Amino acid sequence: MKILVTDGMDKTALAQLRANGHEVVEQFYAPDELGQALRGFDAVVVRSATKIRANHIDEAKGGQLRLIIRGGVGVDNIDVKYAEGAGITVKNTPRASSNSVAELAMGHMFSCARFLSIAGHTMREGKWEKNAYGKGFELSGKTLGIIGFGRIGRALGRIAKGIGMEVIAYNISHVPGIDEQMGMKYVELDELFARSDFISLHTPSLNGVKIICKENIEKMKDGVVFINTSRGDNVNEADLLEALESGKIRAAGLDVYADEPATNSALYSHPNVSCTPHIGAATKEAQQRIGAEIVEIIENFGK
């Protein structure tokens, strides 16, 4: 196969594809050039930077393109149904980055509870703010509400249970076995909002529906901590910022934003925000697993 890799890929996996006889081209294309470029490839591998929309698929029609692979969990940067309607298979790598994203979410939880981000920042400014940041709290004994209980949500739940947190979870469809097998209680969304000391969001993009909005924030405990490593467009950032200013939300850990690169400086510069630039899956181990899954998908394609 002739394969286009637009957003980078693990070097070992690239070498494996080439050793298996595939021609691999590593190149990023601007949106207005992408559709025509796709005509010359059998498969394209993207991460989050490249977006393949209906117009790109229309431009690629009549060419070689048969397979689109998203190296990662979500496929909201691809018009999946439109591609499949055009006879193009769409795959992703849902297993590869679960632990990495879950660990980052937990890292943001610790950062929010112990002021790790802002305290470190002030030290680099030559300050010693021990009194200001000496009023943190422990995670053990607190209740974590997980919205979206797929692979990442479950991985985070296991970590949280391991440090002594109570875990409750909500999913659009009830995940069988949460209560019995995992020791994590399934609840409806309003109950999760009311009971949680920490809320971590792990849903795909919901087509403009804002799970975190003024109406739902009002249902939360005062002083809740909010974590988002899923998709930025699931959050009304103006409502989140207002809640941070009022103290309704004590702190937020954010890896994803409505616009990326992030443009809402009032939000990501807020002293009670622990922020990272969409690095949830950016670990060596996750990239190796993603690469291995991509190789597996390509080698099994059409079998």
Side-chain angles (χ1 to χ4, degrees), residues 110-183:
F110 280 115
S111 181
C112 289
R114 300 303 301 274
F115 307 103
L116 301 183
S117 180
I118 185 64
H121 178 74
T122 57
M123 284 192 69
R124 287 188 289 274
E125 293 179 334
K127 300 175 183 177
W128 187 258
E129 303 281 4
K130 183 172 181 176
N131 290 334
Y133 304 123
K135 300 175 183 177
F137 58 95
E138 297 179 2
L139 274 63
S140 179
K142 304 300 190 297
T143 298
L144 168 62
I146 298 174
I147 303 174
F149 210 62
R151 290 180 175 87
I152 296 170
R154 295 180 201 186
L156 176 60
R158 288 190 290 269
I159 297 169
K161 289 285 290 183
I163 62 169
M165 299 186 81
E166 178 187 1
V167 179
I168 58 177
Y170 167 79
N171 205 65
I172 293 173
S173 57
H174 187 167
V175 179
I178 289 179
D179 305 70
E180 300 83 3
Q181 298 174 22
M182 302 179 188

Side-chain angles (χ1 to χ4, degrees), residues 240-252:
L240 174 59
L241 184 59
E242 181 182 338
L244 285 162
E245 290 288 347
S246 71
K248 176 69 176 182
I249 293 181
R250 173 175 177 150

Side-chain angles (χ1 to χ4, degrees), residues 17-261:
L17 287 172
R18 289 173 173 135
N20 291 353
H22 303 290
E23 179 184 350
V24 182
V25 176
E26 299 175 77
Q27 184 172 341
F28 178 83
Y29 285 93
D32 60 347
E33 301 173 336
L34 179 62
Q36 283 297 318
L38 291 175
R39 293 176 60 86
F41 293 90
D42 300 292
V44 57
V45 179
V46 305
R47 295 295 306 278
S48 55
T50 297
K51 296 173 174 56
I52 301 180
R53 300 305 185 197
N55 62 298
H56 300 128
I57 295 163
D58 284 340
E59 292 179 64
K61 284 179 180 176
Q64 300 172 217
L65 189 63
R66 297 178 287 145
L67 176 64
I68 299 171
I69 304 174
R70 161 73 162 98
V73 179
V75 289
D76 44 281
N77 57 324
I78 302 166
D79 285 346
V80 176
K81 290 184 179 179
Y82 198 84
E84 291 176 342
I88 300 168
T89 300
V90 179
K91 297 284 188 179
N92 65 343
T93 61
R95 304 187 304 271
S97 58
S98 299
N99 285 341
S100 297
V101 178
E103 287 185 8
L104 182 67
M106 179 58 68
H108 276 300
M109 290 167 63
F110 280 115
S111 181
C112 289
R114 300 303 301 274
F115 307 103
L116 301 183
S117 180
I118 185 64
H121 178 74
T122 57
M123 284 192 69
R124 287 188 289 274
E125 293 179 334
K127 300 175 183 177
W128 187 258
E129 303 281 4
K130 183 172 181 176
N131 290 334
Y133 304 123
K135 300 175 183 177
F137 58 95
E138 297 179 2
L139 274 63
S140 179
K142 304 300 190 297
T143 298
L144 168 62
I146 298 174
I147 303 174
F149 210 62
R151 290 180 175 87
I152 296 170
R154 295 180 201 186
L156 176 60
R158 288 190 290 269
I159 297 169
K161 289 285 290 183
I163 62 169
M165 299 186 81
E166 178 187 1
V167 179
I168 58 177
Y170 167 79
N171 205 65
I172 293 173
S173 57
H174 187 167
V175 179
I178 289 179
D179 305 70
E180 300 83 3
Q181 298 174 22
M182 302 179 188
M184 307 174 200
K185 182 175 175 57
Y186 178 86
V187 297
E188 295 301 328
L189 191 56
D190 283 357
E191 182 180 348
L192 184 145
F193 286 139
R195 289 180 53 189
S196 298
D197 301 300
F198 290 79
I199 294 173
S200 193
L201 190 57
H202 298 282
T203 62
S205 180
L206 298 174
N207 298 319
V209 176
K210 309 297 185 187
I211 298 178
I212 305 304
C213 59
K214 189 176 184 67
E215 179 184 357
N216 286 335
I217 290 170
E218 289 174 352
K219 300 173 185 177
M220 298 176 188
K221 279 185 178 182
D222 292 343
V224 66
V225 174
F226 171 65
I227 308 295
N228 188 15
T229 55
S230 62
R231 289 292 182 266
D233 62 1
N234 292 331
V235 176
N236 184 313
E237 290 187 345
D239 292 349
L240 174 59
L241 184 59
E242 181 182 338
L244 285 162
E245 290 288 347
S246 71
K248 176 69 176 182
I249 293 181
R250 173 175 177 150
L254 305 176
D255 186 50
V256 291
Y257 309 87
D259 297 312
E260 294 187 5

